[in-house]
Amino acid sequence: MKHTFVFHCLIFICFSAFAQRHALVFQTDFGLKDGAVAEMKGVVYSLSPDIPMFDLTHEIPAYNIWEAAYRLQQTAPYWPAGTVFVSVVDPGVGSARKSVVLKTKTGHYFVTPDNGTLTLVARQMGIAEIREIDEAVNRRKNSGASYTFHGRDVYAYTAGKLAAGKITFQQVGPKMADSVVSISFQAPVFVNDTVKGNIPVLDVQYGNIWTNIDQQTFNKLHVQAGDLLKVSIYKGNEPVYSGVIPFANTFAAVPEGKELAYLNSLLNLSFAVNMGDFSSNHHVKSGPEWSVTVSK
């Protein structure tokens, strides 16, 4: 009986230790041509070889903080609470920008410079608490002479300790005000029988235009498949595209080479050319400065 009790205690202890380890998801603008990403993963693996590590992407365009913000928003909701995201798009590395961990109201963690990267997840998932990383205790040992690779020495190290349960969220560092550095953009709105929004990103493989106009906002136009939409796209105040295109449920609903509006996999309003490239055809790009208006 005694041996059975001890055995069950050991099983419980082992399971509890394993259960503390959360998935760690990496995003950078480093690419994979050199060893930078492997260095970050090596730091985490050295802390705990049991942490499951995944890649969101390492192909964020260089220095593009906005796209980093979008990819986090796009991806994070599909991961369970407790997941730790490390996002390093950090053109200001070594400067006065703060190194932080955001805990969202959904229970996700984001380890990143507070440089605008948190703009969209803070808005989408809510801010539970933000802590500044205390580098006196949460920095890789003997790395103080390096000022240009905080992704390895601070972010991966802190995220690994957090994911492994070696530190609590409170041990990350001092609590900050519940606000983040934010990038301005056109939020989805419905005004005077028109919906307005931003073009946060392209569906880069196909040249489709993805907006942030969600299904709920779009539905205020009361559009049915086959209805025609008047679409205007701007970069800042400069008009770039204006056209009338049909709304469809699938690409194949229009002939090859024809334009359509549709709801993408995130249920946001988007524009495409069936078997073509809307972005290249009309020189439409993406970013916080790009906006769109749509009406029937």
Side-chain angles (χ1 to χ4, degrees), residues 99 133 135 138-139 149-159:
S99 297
I133 297 173
E135 294 187 22
N138 292 316
R139 183 180 178 122
F149 201 175
H150 288 179
R152 176 193 64 196
D153 299 331
V154 179
Y155 303 137
Y157 183 77
T158 301

Side-chain angles (χ1 to χ4, degrees), residues 272-294:
V273 175
N274 184 20
M275 300 290 287
D277 189 320
F278 195 109
S279 172
S280 294
N281 288 357
H282 302 293
H283 308 289
V284 174
K285 302 298 181 183
S286 63
E289 73 276 20
W290 287 83
S291 62
V292 59
T293 64
V294 181

Side-chain angles (χ1 to χ4, degrees), residues 59-167:
E59 301 301 326
I60 297 293
Y63 320 122
N64 194 328
I65 296 169
W66 172 260
E67 187 157 325
Y70 181 82
R71 295 303 179 194
L72 290 178
Q73 175 192 242
Q74 176 187 1
T75 307
Y78 299 95
W79 288 81
T83 299
V84 180
F85 292 85
V86 178
S87 183
V88 188
V89 179
D90 193 14
V93 61
S95 69
R97 93 284 178 267
K98 294 184 183 300
S99 297
V100 303
V101 181
L102 164 67
K103 181 180 180 181
T104 63
K105 291 181 178 179
T106 57
H108 297 77
Y109 298 91
F110 298 87
V111 185
T112 184
D114 185 20
N115 60 3
T117 298
L118 297 170
T119 298
L120 299 176
V121 289
R123 177 186 178 96
Q124 176 190 45
M125 306 176 94
I127 297 173
E129 196 171 307
I130 306 171
R131 291 186 173 267
E132 184 174 3
I133 297 173
D134 180 358
E135 294 187 22
V137 292
N138 292 316
R139 183 180 178 122
R140 190 176 63 86
K141 188 177 180 180
N142 298 324
S143 67
S146 174
Y147 295 93
T148 59
F149 201 175
H150 288 179
R152 176 193 64 196
D153 299 331
V154 179
Y155 303 137
Y157 183 77
T158 301
K161 290 172 71 176
L162 189 61
K166 292 179 179 292
I167 60 171

Side-chain angles (χ1 to χ4, degrees), residues 28-54:
T28 74
D29 61 349
F30 299 164
L32 295 172
K33 295 183 179 70
D34 64 16
V37 173
E39 290 178 44
M40 293 172 67
K41 291 183 176 181
V43 167
V44 174
Y45 190 82
S46 298
L47 289 166
S48 174
D50 297 322
I51 297 174
M53 291 185 279
F54 304 89

